[in-house]
Amino acid sequence: MSTAENMVVERSKAAPPEVRSQKPAVDPASLNHSDLKSGEFWRDVFDVSTDEFLDHMWQMKNSLYGEKQLMKVLENVAPAKFLDDAARGFRLAPMMVRVTPYLLSLIDWNDPWNDPIRRQFIPLAEQLEMDHPMLSLDSLHEQKDAPVPGLTHRYNDKALFLPLNTCPVYCRFCTRSYAVGKETDTVEKVNLKINPKRWEEAYAYIQTRPELEDIVISGGDAYNLPAKHIRAIGEKLLSIPNIRRIRFATKGLAVMPMKILTDHEWFQAIADVEKMGRKMHKQVCIHTHFNHPVEITEISRQAMNKLYENGIMVRNQSVLQRGVNDDANIMALLVKRMGEINVHPYYVYQHDMVKGVEDLRTSLQEACDIEKAVRGITAGFNTPTFVVDAPQGGGKRDAHSYEHYNRETGISVYTAPSVKKDKLFYYYDPIHSLSEEMRENWKDPKKREEMHNDAKAQAQANI
Ligand code: SF4
């Protein structure tokens, strides 16, 4: 036997190579973040062709505005008991209803009571809860921090510019219900209509404040700004030397993604402003608002592909809501699904203290628990930060960074040294999340004051 043949025999007698430990194969069901709803899923509610459904003009013309229009369509798809409950809900709501056909088609009409999209847009009287006694209409003090109408300057280097007061849909939980949408039986609105003359005041202010680098263009919703205004606002803000970053805020991708595909003029305006910013080494991006994984369909993927191919970055800001996404598995799926279509999950907000939507709020503890479960499922840069937008104008604080949190009374206390030094900011868990005894205590003004004073003293002791 040759030496080489000897070596072969020797090797075959040797112990088999050690098998490295491997992670067990994953359950294919755990990869469902990439299975997006496709086909003509709208046919049960709207019997129209794909071409019509994908046309943003058709979506806009057939959007349902106000109770009467909505009820007319729902009569054919929703149970009678549900319609009755919704009719009573509308009368108590601070926001006028407005929904797109796309959104309505995503609702499960066999069980609309528990559907996550229905919960966000259609109020049901039976599910409403009493407002928290500490709630106020502009809970974030956006108007108090506004040096000129429609411009909030709270953080040192960032301002919120509100050039309009309309949106393609109206969300029940809108923090800006003090201005957004039509007046309702329960709320008189601040006037922030499209008005280029009013905008001049905002530009003039921004020019006098060299510390301002970052402008959020919101509203209302940038989807409802005509293309010429997207260009005018974008070009004006980019031309201000101190401005380094602008973001157009729109819920559009979650409620009418087809606009990106078929409103060529609007898309081109955004793409051109982004290109202009890139040439000036300034950042232009879109901030959007997905709350539940079912809001992401193949149409969203196509819209995002078009934005991505054009170099337009999209970040997402979700709101944590009871019965919508207050479940670690749902939130994890939402985060992974956004990663799938190149939307960057940026923030999950603890629900603001908004009039008429206590049924949607969760306790702060739930936010902390869900954050813990979600962190680690994917890359850190694709993991959202859970924040509390501290009432009374404290700005966004990491949900876990409270100075004090009493889970019995539901009071949490935050500080915001770089926003408003030496001030304490209080957030209140919804009454429905507290014990029976605590619910009674909140009804008594004296006990309310005691709970408050105790939270203040505890927070001060911890600082
Ligand atoms: S789209 Fe935004 S601004 Fe408009 S109603 Fe919804 S949350 Fe409010």
Short mmCIF file of all heavy atoms in Angstrom, two decimals, residues 148-202:
data_model
loop_
_atom_site.label_atom_id
_atom_site.label_comp_id
_atom_site.label_asym_id
_atom_site.label_seq_id
_atom_site.Cartn_x
_atom_site.Cartn_y
_atom_site.Cartn_z
N VAL A 148 -45.16 81.22 17.22
CA VAL A 148 -46.07 81.75 16.19
C VAL A 148 -47.09 80.64 15.90
O VAL A 148 -46.80 79.46 16.13
CB VAL A 148 -45.32 82.15 14.88
CG1 VAL A 148 -44.29 83.23 15.13
CG2 VAL A 148 -44.65 80.94 14.22
N PRO A 149 -48.28 80.99 15.39
CA PRO A 149 -49.29 79.96 15.18
C PRO A 149 -48.80 78.84 14.26
O PRO A 149 -48.28 79.10 13.17
CB PRO A 149 -50.46 80.71 14.52
CG PRO A 149 -50.23 82.14 14.87
CD PRO A 149 -48.75 82.33 15.01
N GLY A 150 -48.94 77.60 14.74
CA GLY A 150 -48.58 76.45 13.90
C GLY A 150 -47.09 76.12 13.92
O GLY A 150 -46.62 75.38 13.05
N LEU A 151 -46.34 76.64 14.87
CA LEU A 151 -44.92 76.25 15.00
C LEU A 151 -44.61 76.04 16.48
O LEU A 151 -44.67 77.00 17.25
CB LEU A 151 -43.98 77.31 14.42
CG LEU A 151 -42.52 76.85 14.40
CD1 LEU A 151 -42.21 76.08 13.11
CD2 LEU A 151 -41.56 78.03 14.50
N THR A 152 -44.32 74.82 16.86
CA THR A 152 -44.00 74.53 18.26
C THR A 152 -42.49 74.39 18.40
O THR A 152 -41.87 73.58 17.70
CB THR A 152 -44.70 73.21 18.70
OG1 THR A 152 -46.11 73.40 18.60
CG2 THR A 152 -44.34 72.84 20.12
N HIS A 153 -41.91 75.20 19.27
CA HIS A 153 -40.46 75.14 19.51
C HIS A 153 -40.24 74.73 20.96
O HIS A 153 -40.28 75.57 21.85
CB HIS A 153 -39.82 76.50 19.22
CG HIS A 153 -38.32 76.45 19.32
ND1 HIS A 153 -37.52 77.57 19.28
CD2 HIS A 153 -37.45 75.40 19.46
CE1 HIS A 153 -36.25 77.22 19.39
NE2 HIS A 153 -36.19 75.91 19.52
N ARG A 154 -40.03 73.44 21.17
CA ARG A 154 -39.86 72.93 22.53
C ARG A 154 -38.43 72.47 22.75
O ARG A 154 -37.76 72.91 23.66
CB ARG A 154 -40.83 71.77 22.77
CG ARG A 154 -40.60 71.07 24.08
CD ARG A 154 -41.62 69.99 24.32
NE ARG A 154 -42.95 70.52 24.18
CZ ARG A 154 -43.98 69.86 23.63
NH1 ARG A 154 -43.81 68.64 23.20
NH2 ARG A 154 -45.17 70.41 23.55
N TYR A 155 -37.96 71.56 21.90
CA TYR A 155 -36.58 71.09 22.02
C TYR A 155 -35.67 72.18 21.51
O TYR A 155 -36.08 73.02 20.70
CB TYR A 155 -36.37 69.83 21.18
CG TYR A 155 -37.26 68.69 21.57
CD1 TYR A 155 -38.46 68.49 20.91
CD2 TYR A 155 -36.92 67.84 22.61
CE1 TYR A 155 -39.30 67.44 21.26
CE2 TYR A 155 -37.76 66.79 22.97
CZ TYR A 155 -38.94 66.60 22.29
OH TYR A 155 -39.77 65.58 22.65
N ASN A 156 -34.42 72.13 21.94
CA ASN A 156 -33.48 73.17 21.56
C ASN A 156 -33.32 73.28 20.04
O ASN A 156 -33.48 74.35 19.46
CB ASN A 156 -32.13 72.88 22.23
CG ASN A 156 -31.12 73.96 21.97
OD1 ASN A 156 -31.46 75.14 22.04
ND2 ASN A 156 -29.89 73.57 21.66
N ASP A 157 -33.05 72.14 19.37
CA ASP A 157 -32.66 72.23 17.96
C ASP A 157 -33.73 71.76 16.99
O ASP A 157 -33.48 71.60 15.81
CB ASP A 157 -31.35 71.45 17.71
CG ASP A 157 -31.52 69.94 17.77
OD1 ASP A 157 -32.58 69.48 18.21
OD2 ASP A 157 -30.60 69.23 17.35
N LYS A 158 -34.94 71.52 17.50
CA LYS A 158 -35.99 70.95 16.64
C LYS A 158 -37.30 71.72 16.81
O LYS A 158 -37.63 72.13 17.92
CB LYS A 158 -36.19 69.49 17.07
CG LYS A 158 -37.10 68.73 16.17
CD LYS A 158 -37.33 67.33 16.70
CE LYS A 158 -38.59 67.28 17.52
NZ LYS A 158 -38.94 65.97 18.03
N ALA A 159 -38.03 71.88 15.71
CA ALA A 159 -39.35 72.52 15.82
C ALA A 159 -40.37 71.72 15.02
O ALA A 159 -40.02 71.00 14.07
CB ALA A 159 -39.30 73.95 15.32
N LEU A 160 -41.62 71.86 15.42
CA LEU A 160 -42.73 71.17 14.76
C LEU A 160 -43.54 72.21 13.99
O LEU A 160 -44.06 73.16 14.58
CB LEU A 160 -43.60 70.53 15.85
CG LEU A 160 -44.94 69.93 15.44
CD1 LEU A 160 -44.74 68.69 14.58
CD2 LEU A 160 -45.75 69.57 16.70
N PHE A 161 -43.59 72.05 12.68
CA PHE A 161 -44.28 73.01 11.81
C PHE A 161 -45.59 72.37 11.34
O PHE A 161 -45.59 71.26 10.80
CB PHE A 161 -43.34 73.33 10.63
CG PHE A 161 -43.92 74.25 9.59
CD1 PHE A 161 -44.79 75.28 9.93
CD2 PHE A 161 -43.57 74.10 8.26
CE1 PHE A 161 -45.31 76.13 8.97
CE2 PHE A 161 -44.07 74.94 7.28
CZ PHE A 161 -44.95 75.97 7.64
N LEU A 162 -46.69 73.07 11.56
CA LEU A 162 -48.01 72.54 11.21
C LEU A 162 -48.62 73.38 10.09
O LEU A 162 -49.36 74.33 10.36
CB LEU A 162 -48.93 72.54 12.44
CG LEU A 162 -48.37 71.85 13.70
CD1 LEU A 162 -49.31 72.01 14.90
CD2 LEU A 162 -48.10 70.37 13.45
N PRO A 163 -48.31 73.08 8.82
CA PRO A 163 -48.81 73.93 7.73
C PRO A 163 -50.27 73.68 7.34
O PRO A 163 -50.83 74.42 6.55
CB PRO A 163 -47.89 73.58 6.55
CG PRO A 163 -47.38 72.23 6.84
CD PRO A 163 -47.38 72.05 8.33
N LEU A 164 -50.88 72.63 7.88
CA LEU A 164 -52.28 72.34 7.52
C LEU A 164 -52.96 71.56 8.64
O LEU A 164 -52.29 71.08 9.56
CB LEU A 164 -52.35 71.55 6.21
CG LEU A 164 -52.05 70.05 6.24
CD1 LEU A 164 -52.50 69.42 4.93
CD2 LEU A 164 -50.61 69.74 6.49
N ASN A 165 -54.28 71.45 8.53
CA ASN A 165 -55.02 70.78 9.60
C ASN A 165 -55.88 69.62 9.09
O ASN A 165 -56.84 69.24 9.75
CB ASN A 165 -55.90 71.78 10.35
CG ASN A 165 -56.94 72.41 9.44
OD1 ASN A 165 -56.89 72.21 8.24
ND2 ASN A 165 -57.85 73.18 10.00
N THR A 166 -55.57 69.10 7.91
CA THR A 166 -56.37 67.97 7.43
C THR A 166 -55.48 66.75 7.20
O THR A 166 -54.26 66.87 7.04
CB THR A 166 -57.09 68.30 6.10
OG1 THR A 166 -56.10 68.52 5.09
CG2 THR A 166 -57.99 69.51 6.23
N CYS A 167 -56.12 65.59 7.17
CA CYS A 167 -55.41 64.32 6.98
C CYS A 167 -56.23 63.44 6.05
O CYS A 167 -57.44 63.62 5.93
CB CYS A 167 -55.27 63.58 8.31
SG CYS A 167 -54.57 64.56 9.63
N PRO A 168 -55.62 62.43 5.43
CA PRO A 168 -56.40 61.51 4.60
C PRO A 168 -57.36 60.65 5.42
O PRO A 168 -58.33 60.13 4.89
CB PRO A 168 -55.33 60.64 3.91
CG PRO A 168 -54.10 60.80 4.73
CD PRO A 168 -54.18 62.12 5.42
N VAL A 169 -57.05 60.49 6.71
CA VAL A 169 -57.96 59.79 7.64
C VAL A 169 -57.93 60.57 8.95
O VAL A 169 -57.01 61.36 9.18
CB VAL A 169 -57.48 58.35 7.94
CG1 VAL A 169 -57.54 57.47 6.71
CG2 VAL A 169 -56.09 58.34 8.56
N TYR A 170 -58.91 60.35 9.79
CA TYR A 170 -58.83 60.92 11.13
C TYR A 170 -58.82 59.80 12.16
O TYR A 170 -59.72 58.97 12.20
CB TYR A 170 -59.99 61.90 11.37
CG TYR A 170 -59.83 63.14 10.51
CD1 TYR A 170 -60.82 63.56 9.66
CD2 TYR A 170 -58.62 63.84 10.51
CE1 TYR A 170 -60.64 64.67 8.84
CE2 TYR A 170 -58.42 64.92 9.69
CZ TYR A 170 -59.42 65.34 8.86
OH TYR A 170 -59.21 66.41 8.04
N CYS A 171 -57.75 59.80 12.96
CA CYS A 171 -57.57 58.75 13.95
C CYS A 171 -58.28 59.18 15.23
O CYS A 171 -58.15 60.33 15.65
CB CYS A 171 -56.09 58.56 14.27
SG CYS A 171 -55.07 58.53 12.79
N ARG A 172 -58.97 58.26 15.85
CA ARG A 172 -59.68 58.58 17.09
C ARG A 172 -58.74 59.15 18.13
O ARG A 172 -59.11 60.00 18.92
CB ARG A 172 -60.27 57.30 17.70
CG ARG A 172 -61.43 56.71 16.98
CD ARG A 172 -61.93 55.49 17.74
NE ARG A 172 -62.27 55.83 19.10
CZ ARG A 172 -62.14 55.01 20.15
NH1 ARG A 172 -61.72 53.79 19.97
NH2 ARG A 172 -62.46 55.41 21.37
N PHE A 173 -57.50 58.66 18.14
CA PHE A 173 -56.59 58.93 19.24
C PHE A 173 -55.69 60.14 18.98
O PHE A 173 -54.72 60.35 19.71
CB PHE A 173 -55.72 57.70 19.49
CG PHE A 173 -55.05 57.20 18.23
CD1 PHE A 173 -53.79 57.66 17.88
CD2 PHE A 173 -55.69 56.31 17.39
CE1 PHE A 173 -53.17 57.23 16.72
CE2 PHE A 173 -55.08 55.87 16.22
CZ PHE A 173 -53.82 56.34 15.88
N CYS A 174 -56.00 60.95 17.97
CA CYS A 174 -55.08 62.02 17.57
C CYS A 174 -54.79 62.99 18.73
O CYS A 174 -55.70 63.54 19.33
CB CYS A 174 -55.67 62.80 16.41
SG CYS A 174 -54.54 64.06 15.83
N THR A 175 -53.50 63.19 18.99
CA THR A 175 -53.08 64.13 20.03
C THR A 175 -53.46 65.55 19.66
O THR A 175 -53.62 66.40 20.51
CB THR A 175 -51.53 64.07 20.14
OG1 THR A 175 -51.17 62.74 20.39
CG2 THR A 175 -51.00 64.97 21.21
N ARG A 176 -53.55 65.77 18.34
CA ARG A 176 -53.80 67.14 17.88
C ARG A 176 -55.27 67.36 17.57
O ARG A 176 -55.61 68.15 16.69
CB ARG A 176 -52.94 67.38 16.64
CG ARG A 176 -52.04 68.56 16.81
CD ARG A 176 -50.90 68.55 15.84
NE ARG A 176 -49.72 68.01 16.42
CZ ARG A 176 -48.85 67.26 15.78
NH1 ARG A 176 -49.03 66.95 14.52
NH2 ARG A 176 -47.77 66.82 16.40
N SER A 177 -56.16 66.66 18.31
CA SER A 177 -57.59 66.83 18.04
C SER A 177 -58.02 68.26 18.35
O SER A 177 -59.09 68.68 17.96
CB SER A 177 -58.42 65.80 18.81
OG SER A 177 -58.14 65.86 20.17
N TYR A 178 -57.15 69.05 19.03
CA TYR A 178 -57.48 70.46 19.29
C TYR A 178 -57.48 71.28 18.00
O TYR A 178 -58.02 72.38 17.94
CB TYR A 178 -56.51 71.07 20.31
CG TYR A 178 -55.07 71.22 19.82
CD1 TYR A 178 -54.67 72.34 19.09
CD2 TYR A 178 -54.11 70.25 20.10
CE1 TYR A 178 -53.36 72.47 18.65
CE2 TYR A 178 -52.81 70.37 19.66
CZ TYR A 178 -52.44 71.47 18.93
OH TYR A 178 -51.15 71.60 18.49
N ALA A 179 -56.86 70.75 16.92
CA ALA A 179 -56.76 71.52 15.68
C ALA A 179 -57.14 70.72 14.44
O ALA A 179 -57.62 71.29 13.46
CB ALA A 179 -55.32 72.04 15.51
N VAL A 180 -56.91 69.41 14.48
CA VAL A 180 -57.04 68.60 13.26
C VAL A 180 -58.49 68.19 13.01
O VAL A 180 -59.21 67.81 13.93
CB VAL A 180 -56.13 67.34 13.40
CG1 VAL A 180 -56.52 66.28 12.40
CG2 VAL A 180 -54.68 67.74 13.22
N GLY A 181 -58.90 68.26 11.74
CA GLY A 181 -60.23 67.81 11.35
C GLY A 181 -61.29 68.88 11.59
O GLY A 181 -61.01 69.97 12.08
N LYS A 182 -62.53 68.53 11.24
CA LYS A 182 -63.64 69.46 11.41
C LYS A 182 -64.08 69.52 12.86
O LYS A 182 -63.84 68.56 13.61
CB LYS A 182 -64.83 68.97 10.57
CG LYS A 182 -64.82 69.47 9.15
CD LYS A 182 -66.19 69.25 8.55
CE LYS A 182 -66.18 69.57 7.08
NZ LYS A 182 -67.31 69.01 6.38
N GLU A 183 -64.76 70.63 13.21
CA GLU A 183 -65.28 70.71 14.58
C GLU A 183 -66.32 69.63 14.81
O GLU A 183 -67.00 69.21 13.88
CB GLU A 183 -65.89 72.10 14.81
CG GLU A 183 -64.77 73.06 15.04
CD GLU A 183 -65.17 74.48 15.30
OE1 GLU A 183 -66.36 74.75 15.41
OE2 GLU A 183 -64.25 75.30 15.39
N THR A 184 -66.41 69.17 16.05
CA THR A 184 -67.40 68.15 16.38
C THR A 184 -68.31 68.69 17.49
O THR A 184 -68.09 69.81 17.97
CB THR A 184 -66.70 66.88 16.90
OG1 THR A 184 -66.00 67.22 18.10
CG2 THR A 184 -65.75 66.30 15.89
N ASP A 185 -69.28 67.89 17.90
CA ASP A 185 -70.18 68.32 18.98
C ASP A 185 -69.41 68.57 20.27
O ASP A 185 -69.84 69.32 21.12
CB ASP A 185 -71.22 67.23 19.26
CG ASP A 185 -72.21 67.14 18.12
OD1 ASP A 185 -72.18 68.02 17.24
OD2 ASP A 185 -73.00 66.17 18.10
N THR A 186 -68.24 67.93 20.41
CA THR A 186 -67.54 68.03 21.70
C THR A 186 -66.28 68.91 21.66
O THR A 186 -65.76 69.25 22.70
CB THR A 186 -67.13 66.62 22.20
OG1 THR A 186 -66.37 65.98 21.17
CG2 THR A 186 -68.33 65.78 22.55
N VAL A 187 -65.78 69.27 20.46
CA VAL A 187 -64.53 70.06 20.41
C VAL A 187 -64.58 71.18 19.35
O VAL A 187 -64.93 70.95 18.20
CB VAL A 187 -63.31 69.16 20.10
CG1 VAL A 187 -62.05 69.99 19.94
CG2 VAL A 187 -63.11 68.14 21.18
N GLU A 188 -64.20 72.41 19.77
CA GLU A 188 -64.04 73.54 18.85
C GLU A 188 -62.55 73.61 18.49
O GLU A 188 -61.70 73.56 19.38
CB GLU A 188 -64.45 74.81 19.59
CG GLU A 188 -64.95 75.90 18.70
CD GLU A 188 -65.43 77.07 19.54
OE1 GLU A 188 -66.33 76.87 20.36
OE2 GLU A 188 -64.84 78.16 19.37
N LYS A 189 -62.20 73.69 17.19
CA LYS A 189 -60.79 73.53 16.80
C LYS A 189 -60.05 74.87 16.62
O LYS A 189 -60.64 75.86 16.23
CB LYS A 189 -60.72 72.76 15.48
CG LYS A 189 -61.56 71.50 15.43
CD LYS A 189 -60.84 70.27 15.91
CE LYS A 189 -61.76 69.09 16.02
NZ LYS A 189 -61.17 67.83 16.30
N VAL A 190 -58.73 74.81 16.83
CA VAL A 190 -57.84 75.93 16.52
C VAL A 190 -57.65 75.94 15.01
O VAL A 190 -57.54 74.89 14.39
CB VAL A 190 -56.47 75.71 17.22
CG1 VAL A 190 -55.44 76.73 16.78
CG2 VAL A 190 -56.65 75.72 18.72
N ASN A 191 -57.59 77.15 14.38
CA ASN A 191 -57.52 77.22 12.92
C ASN A 191 -56.08 77.11 12.39
O ASN A 191 -55.28 78.02 12.54
CB ASN A 191 -58.15 78.55 12.47
CG ASN A 191 -58.15 78.67 10.95
OD1 ASN A 191 -57.63 77.81 10.25
ND2 ASN A 191 -58.73 79.74 10.46
N LEU A 192 -55.76 75.98 11.78
CA LEU A 192 -54.42 75.82 11.16
C LEU A 192 -54.58 75.40 9.70
O LEU A 192 -53.95 74.44 9.25
CB LEU A 192 -53.59 74.78 11.93
CG LEU A 192 -53.17 75.13 13.35
CD1 LEU A 192 -52.39 74.00 13.99
CD2 LEU A 192 -52.33 76.41 13.40
N LYS A 193 -55.45 76.12 8.97
CA LYS A 193 -55.68 75.75 7.56
C LYS A 193 -54.46 76.06 6.70
O LYS A 193 -53.62 76.89 7.09
CB LYS A 193 -56.87 76.55 7.03
CG LYS A 193 -58.18 76.07 7.58
CD LYS A 193 -59.33 76.71 6.85
CE LYS A 193 -60.63 76.21 7.46
NZ LYS A 193 -61.63 77.21 7.61
N ILE A 194 -54.39 75.45 5.50
CA ILE A 194 -53.31 75.77 4.55
C ILE A 194 -53.34 77.26 4.27
O ILE A 194 -54.37 77.80 3.86
CB ILE A 194 -53.50 74.98 3.23
CG1 ILE A 194 -53.20 73.50 3.44
CG2 ILE A 194 -52.63 75.56 2.12
CD1 ILE A 194 -53.19 72.65 2.18
N ASN A 195 -52.21 77.93 4.54
CA ASN A 195 -52.17 79.38 4.35
C ASN A 195 -50.70 79.82 4.23
O ASN A 195 -50.04 80.07 5.23
CB ASN A 195 -52.85 80.06 5.55
CG ASN A 195 -52.80 81.58 5.44
OD1 ASN A 195 -52.21 82.13 4.49
ND2 ASN A 195 -53.41 82.26 6.39
N PRO A 196 -50.18 79.92 2.97
CA PRO A 196 -48.77 80.27 2.80
C PRO A 196 -48.38 81.57 3.51
O PRO A 196 -47.22 81.72 3.91
CB PRO A 196 -48.62 80.38 1.28
CG PRO A 196 -49.68 79.46 0.74
CD PRO A 196 -50.83 79.57 1.70
N LYS A 197 -49.33 82.48 3.70
CA LYS A 197 -49.00 83.73 4.43
C LYS A 197 -48.67 83.43 5.89
O LYS A 197 -47.74 84.00 6.46
CB LYS A 197 -50.19 84.70 4.36
CG LYS A 197 -50.13 85.58 3.16
CD LYS A 197 -50.86 86.89 3.41
CE LYS A 197 -50.76 87.70 2.13
NZ LYS A 197 -52.04 88.18 1.68
N ARG A 198 -49.46 82.55 6.50
CA ARG A 198 -49.18 82.16 7.89
C ARG A 198 -47.82 81.49 7.98
O ARG A 198 -47.06 81.69 8.94
CB ARG A 198 -50.29 81.22 8.40
CG ARG A 198 -49.98 80.58 9.75
CD ARG A 198 -51.15 79.82 10.33
NE ARG A 198 -51.51 78.61 9.61
CZ ARG A 198 -50.90 77.43 9.74
NH1 ARG A 198 -49.86 77.32 10.55
NH2 ARG A 198 -51.30 76.38 9.04
N TRP A 199 -47.47 80.70 6.96
CA TRP A 199 -46.20 79.98 6.99
C TRP A 199 -45.02 80.94 7.03
O TRP A 199 -43.97 80.62 7.59
CB TRP A 199 -46.07 79.06 5.77
CG TRP A 199 -47.20 78.08 5.59
CD1 TRP A 199 -48.14 77.74 6.53
CD2 TRP A 199 -47.50 77.33 4.41
NE1 TRP A 199 -49.01 76.82 6.00
CE2 TRP A 199 -48.65 76.54 4.71
CE3 TRP A 199 -46.93 77.23 3.15
CZ2 TRP A 199 -49.22 75.69 3.77
CZ3 TRP A 199 -47.49 76.37 2.22
CH2 TRP A 199 -48.62 75.60 2.53
N GLU A 200 -45.18 82.14 6.39
CA GLU A 200 -44.08 83.13 6.36
C GLU A 200 -43.61 83.46 7.78
O GLU A 200 -42.43 83.63 8.04
CB GLU A 200 -44.52 84.43 5.66
CG GLU A 200 -44.78 84.28 4.16
CD GLU A 200 -43.53 83.86 3.38
OE1 GLU A 200 -42.42 84.19 3.81
OE2 GLU A 200 -43.70 83.15 2.35
N GLU A 201 -44.58 83.55 8.69
CA GLU A 201 -44.24 83.87 10.09
C GLU A 201 -43.38 82.76 10.69
O GLU A 201 -42.43 83.02 11.43
CB GLU A 201 -45.53 83.94 10.92
CG GLU A 201 -46.13 85.32 11.05
CD GLU A 201 -47.28 85.28 12.05
OE1 GLU A 201 -47.03 85.47 13.25
OE2 GLU A 201 -48.42 85.04 11.60
N ALA A 202 -43.73 81.51 10.33
CA ALA A 202 -42.94 80.37 10.85
C ALA A 202 -41.52 80.41 10.28
O ALA A 202 -40.54 80.26 11.02
CB ALA A 202 -43.63 79.06 10.49
#
